[in-house]
Amino acid sequence: MAYSSEIKIGILGGGQLGRMLIQSAIDFDIKIKTIDPDENAPCKAISHSFEHGDFKDYETVLRFGQDCDIITIEIENVNLEALEALEKQGKKVFPQPAILRKIKDKRIQKQFFIDNNLPTAKFLLTDNQEAIRNASWQPPYVNKLGEGGYDGKGVQIIKTKADIDKAFVEPSLLEELIDFEKELAVVVARSESGEVKCFPVVEMVFHPEANLVEYLFSPANISEETAKKAFDLAEKTAECFGIVGLLAVEMFLTKDGDILINEVAPRPHNSGHHTIKANLVSQFEQHLRAIMNLPLGDTAQVDPAAMVNILGAEGYTGPASYEGMESLLSEPGVHPFLYGKAITKPFRKMGHVTVIEKDFDKLKEKVNFVKKSLIVKSNQA
Amino acid sequence: MAYSSEIKIGILGGGQLGRMLIQSAIDFDIKIKTIDPDENAPCKAISHSFEHGDFKDYETVLRFGQDCDIITIEIENVNLEALEALEKQGKKVFPQPAILRKIKDKRIQKQFFIDNNLPTAKFLLTDNQEAIRNASWQPPYVNKLGEGGYDGKGVQIIKTKADIDKAFVEPSLLEELIDFEKELAVVVARSESGEVKCFPVVEMVFHPEANLVEYLFSPANISEETAKKAFDLAEKTAECFGIVGLLAVEMFLTKDGDILINEVAPRPHNSGHHTIKANLVSQFEQHLRAIMNLPLGDTAQVDPAAMVNILGAEGYTGPASYEGMESLLSEPGVHPFLYGKAITKPFRKMGHVTVIEKDFDKLKEKVNFVKKSLIVKSNQA
């Protein structure tokens, strides 16, 4: 596909990932339409057209794609049959529906890693809570829901036999608890023509309660050898899938220095948000380049960066209000990105803040400053 | 005004400057409405609301501003009486209408420089062509239209007596031709609380025919002493006006090392477009911070940059098509920003390309590559 400003891209999902894709698409003058079941979704005001609808519904997705040249996603939990039908019609659907099928269900995803000799933690498939109770494995282990998890939901640690009472009743898997040194991630892009490029390895720190990324550093504080291993694994994974678009590969660095894939996401990812400010080309622009079959951009990072997720404060559910923006903006190298979500809830991702700072100690200080400064509350109880 | 994501900003004008303001406002989750007489203006698709209307009309502007907390502009040629009426109602109107009055007419602007001891080239006010013919001055000189010039229109060089036949018939001014070493510009911001910050000095190279910036380098290749002079003059000018928002100060560096103000623009400016990619905070974010009375951002530049205007190719008027995007995007550190204008015309500003490159010689090479690579034509004659 040659570049044309007439190209129309449809995105299933209208959340923050779609919003940041649109911000990037504006520079290329690409027309973006989005669809989301939330009538006030973050993409609504800035899409060329926004449809209030259900991306899990076959007819809705099939119709939505009709006037698009390319259809992409910002959430995996969409109607795959409709995407397959659109692909058969000759539409470009990236990531490809067949790959989404392999990734959407974590049980199939894990099996794919095994089938392709991609190192991953040991696991056991379980169909229901009863199967977990009767399994040969004893706690502690991780229990991951097959389908439908997001933002920390659908993953839990089963510490003791008593905890099995709260294990998932739906098809899920048990995974050995990895006593890891660090959690890393690599966002890799693969274009339609097969060009592959990785962003620098990032180091993620998870929120102890919310089970989602609290903040990350980029580049990760690891040896060159480890970084090389992580790149190789990310590239190999993208090649095994044959994906077109972005693939975020989350990994464990074990205490022995091994790298294991934790899980993958076939789209722009929380672990790449800092690239908007910190890298020559952002993950969002890279995704657009990949699915439009344009040359991939230079992923070089200019200065060390951190990314802090701004989560809804505990105890507040309702129309969002932001406290501390004045204080936050008084600090150099600190850049807020608010997602325009109308309603805040405890631990809901409401935005992120990127910090750019050459000195690693100062970077960490600024991360702490950001965490204390910007608070999302609600004026309504 | 404390920050709130409920703040609604109205922008008079829906062109590329408004578009880039909106791109920045998205990160702060600010609601932006725009108005433009072009029903397909670049801001249309990405504004929270877009009005197809005439910002030169009193009633239209007065009505447009009613539901805004802050009203700003992206073009000077708007209805000032309506802005004054909105200001009297208690709306925040930035830049202030009284300042727009001093800047909008270049004749009044020049007199303001004199009245405030701001160094500028000698000039003579002329009411019509006849007055020019009878003036004590002899060509060559510059002839600048008082009101209504933009993008190189409204400025011409009168080389000989015969050229006076094409001099402006409307009120204009004659200005001595400065045999300058370089043309420089400083974008300075002043917030409502009086905080003032300058972006690094840029060096502009003008298109010989179109009389608008063809490309620029930032930072300018000048001594620290000259840069200091330029900063001081830009700050002093912003203070003299008492402006809230951005002021772009275009200057001549004379062969004697003096700095003279050429003219000013009270808004985001072509000489600050590179700041989106090259600086920690862009001129667009800075304008928003200034008019919302938030702390001004750090204007530090990370790497040397150039900005190349992408002008409509000669010989093409009609629906725009872009040639060479694939080639352009294959070069690292090269970032296109297309403005989404439906129609191209010769020399119309259709977009710009920012180049980031540490090595100055390579930066210049890349500028030449960009000029050759990306061409805006039209498939229709």
Side-chain angles (χ1 to χ4, degrees):
Chain A
M1 178 175 294
Y3 169 83
S4 153
S5 63
E6 294 306 308
I7 290 174
K8 195 170 196 176
I9 299 180
I11 304 175
L12 300 184
Q16 66 263 27
L17 303 176
R19 184 172 164 106
M20 290 184 271
L21 271 174
I22 292 171
Q23 284 179 280
S24 187
I26 293 169
D27 294 336
F28 284 17
D29 192 23
I30 296 301
K31 313 294 178 283
I32 303 275
K33 56 184 284 195
T34 54
I35 177 171
D36 200 277
D38 175 0
E39 64 180 342
N40 292 312
C43 286
K44 184 181 185 182
I46 62 170
S47 300
H48 278 73
S49 72
F50 172 78
E51 183 176 330
H52 177 209
D54 183 3
F55 46 62
K56 292 186 201 165
D57 178 67
Y58 179 83
E59 294 297 339
T60 304
V61 172
L62 192 64
R63 189 179 27 75
F64 176 81
Q66 288 311 307
D67 64 345
C68 297
D69 302 295
I70 304 173
I71 297 106
T72 189
I73 56 149
E74 60 117 54
I75 186 168
E76 291 94 317
N77 200 9
V78 298
N79 191 289
L80 292 185
E81 292 73 21
L83 288 182
E84 283 159 346
L86 287 165
E87 195 177 47
K88 272 195 193 124
Q89 282 181 17
K91 301 283 184 193
K92 305 261 183 195
V93 183
F94 299 133
Q96 304 92 315
I99 297 170
L100 282 175
R101 242 179 229 296
K102 289 176 187 143
I103 291 175
K104 189 181 176 184
D105 186 330
K106 284 182 186 160
R107 295 155 52 97
I108 303 175
Q109 192 185 123
K110 283 291 274 190
Q111 193 55 50
F112 181 86
F113 298 153
I114 301 295
D115 294 346
N116 287 275
N117 291 317
L118 299 166
T120 189
K122 290 196 187 75
F123 66 99
L124 192 69
L125 300 184
T126 52
D127 286 337
N128 49 44
Q129 217 180 66
E130 193 52 28
I132 296 173
R133 205 172 299 280
N134 297 332
S136 57
W137 286 27
Q138 297 304 315
Y141 42 64
V142 182
N143 183 206
K144 289 183 174 177
L145 195 59
E147 283 198 63
Y150 71 98
D151 275 3
K153 294 177 183 69
V155 176
Q156 58 182 333
I157 294 178
I158 305 290
K159 286 185 190 148
T160 64
K161 278 196 173 177
D163 281 352
I164 296 178
D165 290 345
K166 58 165 195 168
F168 295 116
V169 294
E170 302 90 350
S172 68
L173 61 85
L174 305 181
E175 191 176 84
E176 65 171 334
L177 261 178
I178 301 291
D179 183 23
F180 54 80
E181 182 72 28
K182 288 171 192 283
E183 291 199 62
L184 307 175
V186 174
V187 174
V188 55
R190 184 173 174 279
S191 74
E192 197 182 358
S193 63
E195 188 184 4
V196 175
K197 273 191 184 167
C198 291
F199 284 92
V201 187
V202 305
E203 180 174 341
M204 301 180 290
V205 179
F206 280 73
H207 189 289
E209 286 165 78
N211 194 32
L212 45 74
V213 175
E214 186 172 11
Y215 59 94
L216 62 76
F217 298 111
S218 179
N221 198 3
I222 53 176
S223 69
E224 268 185 47
E225 188 195 343
T226 302
K228 173 83 170 57
K229 268 192 200 171
F231 288 139
D232 288 348
L233 183 53
E235 286 187 15
K236 187 181 169 194
T237 308
E239 302 277 12
C240 284
F241 279 115
I243 196 168
V244 174
L246 291 184
L247 187 73
V249 185
E250 296 188 59
M251 308 165 180
F252 297 119
L253 171 62
T254 70
K255 298 217 157 139
D256 298 333
D258 290 329
I259 297 218
L260 303 174
I261 299 189
N262 179 11
E263 56 185 63
V264 298
R267 51 167 170 78
H269 190 256
N270 202 179
S271 58
H273 288 357
H274 61 288
T275 58
I276 297 173
K277 274 286 175 187
N279 295 62
L280 284 181
V281 166
S282 77
Q283 66 165 342
F284 300 98
E285 180 175 333
Q286 196 77 309
H287 185 66
L288 294 174
R289 287 176 180 238
I291 66 176
M292 293 170 71
N293 206 21
L294 291 166
L296 294 181
D298 187 342
T299 57
Q301 188 168 340
V302 182
D303 276 323
M307 188 282 310
V308 185
N309 276 324
I310 302 302
L311 308 177
E314 285 186 270
Y316 296 91
T317 298
S321 66
Y322 302 88
E323 281 185 14
M325 277 287 275
E326 286 82 359
S327 158
L328 189 84
L329 293 173
S330 67
E331 187 70 31
V334 166
H335 306 277
F337 295 79
L338 303 183
Y339 299 154
K341 294 182 182 177
I343 302 296
T344 185
K345 294 175 201 168
F347 302 126
R348 187 177 194 197
K349 284 182 186 167
M350 300 300 289
H352 73 268
V353 174
T354 298
V355 182
I356 307 284
E357 171 58 58
K358 282 183 207 297
D359 180 284
F360 191 71
D361 289 331
K362 282 191 192 152
L363 188 65
K364 281 197 283 192
E365 274 170 32
K366 285 191 180 179
V367 165
N368 288 324
F369 166 77
V370 169
K371 281 160 61 180
K372 280 182 296 187
S373 297
L374 184 56
I375 312 290
V376 189
K377 295 186 175 174
S378 181
N379 295 325
Q380 290 171 34
Chain B
M1 178 176 292
Y3 169 83
S4 154
S5 64
E6 294 306 309
I7 290 174
K8 194 169 197 176
I9 299 179
I11 304 175
L12 300 184
Q16 65 265 25
L17 302 177
R19 184 172 164 106
M20 291 184 271
L21 271 175
I22 292 171
Q23 283 179 281
S24 187
I26 293 169
D27 294 336
F28 283 17
D29 191 24
I30 296 301
K31 314 294 177 283
I32 302 276
K33 56 184 284 194
T34 54
I35 177 169
D36 201 277
D38 175 359
E39 64 180 342
N40 293 311
C43 286
K44 184 181 183 179
I46 62 171
S47 300
H48 279 72
S49 73
F50 172 77
E51 182 177 331
H52 177 210
D54 182 4
F55 46 63
K56 292 186 202 165
D57 178 67
Y58 179 84
E59 292 297 339
T60 304
V61 172
L62 191 64
R63 190 179 26 75
F64 176 82
Q66 289 311 308
D67 64 345
C68 297
D69 301 294
I70 303 172
I71 297 107
T72 188
I73 56 149
E74 60 118 52
I75 186 168
E76 291 94 316
N77 199 9
V78 298
N79 192 289
L80 292 186
E81 291 74 22
L83 289 182
E84 283 159 345
L86 287 165
E87 196 177 47
K88 274 197 194 121
Q89 281 182 15
K91 301 282 184 192
K92 306 259 185 197
V93 183
F94 298 133
Q96 303 93 316
I99 297 170
L100 282 174
R101 241 180 229 296
K102 288 177 187 142
I103 291 175
K104 190 181 176 184
D105 186 330
K106 283 181 187 161
R107 295 154 52 97
I108 302 175
Q109 193 185 123
K110 283 291 273 192
Q111 192 57 48
F112 181 87
F113 298 154
I114 300 296
D115 294 346
N116 288 276
N117 292 317
L118 299 165
T120 190
K122 290 197 187 76
F123 67 99
L124 192 70
L125 301 184
T126 52
D127 287 337
N128 49 43
Q129 218 182 63
E130 193 53 28
I132 296 175
R133 204 174 300 281
N134 297 332
S136 56
W137 285 27
Q138 297 304 316
Y141 42 64
V142 182
N143 182 205
K144 290 183 174 176
L145 194 59
E147 283 199 62
Y150 71 98
D151 275 4
K153 293 177 185 69
V155 177
Q156 58 182 335
I157 294 177
I158 305 292
K159 287 184 189 145
T160 63
K161 278 194 175 178
D163 280 353
I164 296 179
D165 290 346
K166 57 165 194 170
F168 296 116
V169 295
E170 302 90 350
S172 68
L173 62 86
L174 305 182
E175 191 176 83
E176 66 173 333
L177 260 177
I178 301 291
D179 183 24
F180 55 78
E181 182 73 27
K182 288 169 191 284
E183 290 199 62
L184 306 175
V186 173
V187 174
V188 55
R190 184 173 173 278
S191 74
E192 197 182 358
S193 63
E195 189 183 5
V196 175
K197 272 191 184 166
C198 290
F199 285 93
V201 187
V202 305
E203 180 174 342
M204 301 181 289
V205 179
F206 280 73
H207 190 289
E209 286 166 78
N211 192 31
L212 46 73
V213 174
E214 186 172 11
Y215 59 93
L216 62 76
F217 298 112
S218 179
N221 199 2
I222 53 175
S223 69
E224 268 185 48
E225 188 197 342
T226 301
K228 173 82 169 57
K229 268 192 201 173
F231 288 139
D232 288 347
L233 183 53
E235 287 187 15
K236 186 180 169 194
T237 307
E239 302 277 13
C240 284
F241 279 115
I243 195 167
V244 174
L246 292 184
L247 187 73
V249 185
E250 296 188 59
M251 306 165 182
F252 297 119
L253 172 62
T254 69
K255 298 216 158 141
D256 298 334
D258 290 329
I259 296 214
L260 302 174
I261 298 189
N262 178 11
E263 56 185 64
V264 298
R267 52 168 170 76
H269 190 256
N270 202 178
S271 59
H273 289 357
H274 61 286
T275 58
I276 297 174
K277 275 286 176 188
N279 294 63
L280 284 181
V281 166
S282 77
Q283 67 164 342
F284 300 98
E285 180 176 333
Q286 196 76 311
H287 185 65
L288 293 174
R289 287 176 180 237
I291 66 177
M292 293 170 70
N293 206 20
L294 291 167
L296 294 181
D298 187 341
T299 56
Q301 188 168 338
V302 182
D303 275 322
M307 188 283 310
V308 186
N309 276 324
I310 302 301
L311 308 177
E314 285 186 89
Y316 297 92
T317 299
S321 66
Y322 301 88
E323 281 185 14
M325 277 287 276
E326 287 81 359
S327 160
L328 189 84
L329 292 174
S330 67
E331 187 70 31
V334 167
H335 307 277
F337 296 79
L338 303 182
Y339 299 154
K341 295 182 182 177
I343 302 296
T344 184
K345 294 175 199 168
F347 302 126
R348 188 178 193 194
K349 284 182 186 167
M350 300 300 289
H352 73 266
V353 174
T354 298
V355 182
I356 307 283
E357 171 58 58
K358 283 183 207 297
D359 181 283
F360 192 70
D361 289 331
K362 281 190 192 152
L363 187 65
K364 282 197 282 192
E365 275 170 31
K366 285 191 180 179
V367 164
N368 288 324
F369 166 77
V370 169
K371 281 159 60 181
K372 279 183 299 189
S373 296
L374 184 57
I375 312 289
V376 189
K377 293 185 177 175
S378 179
N379 296 324
Q380 291 171 33

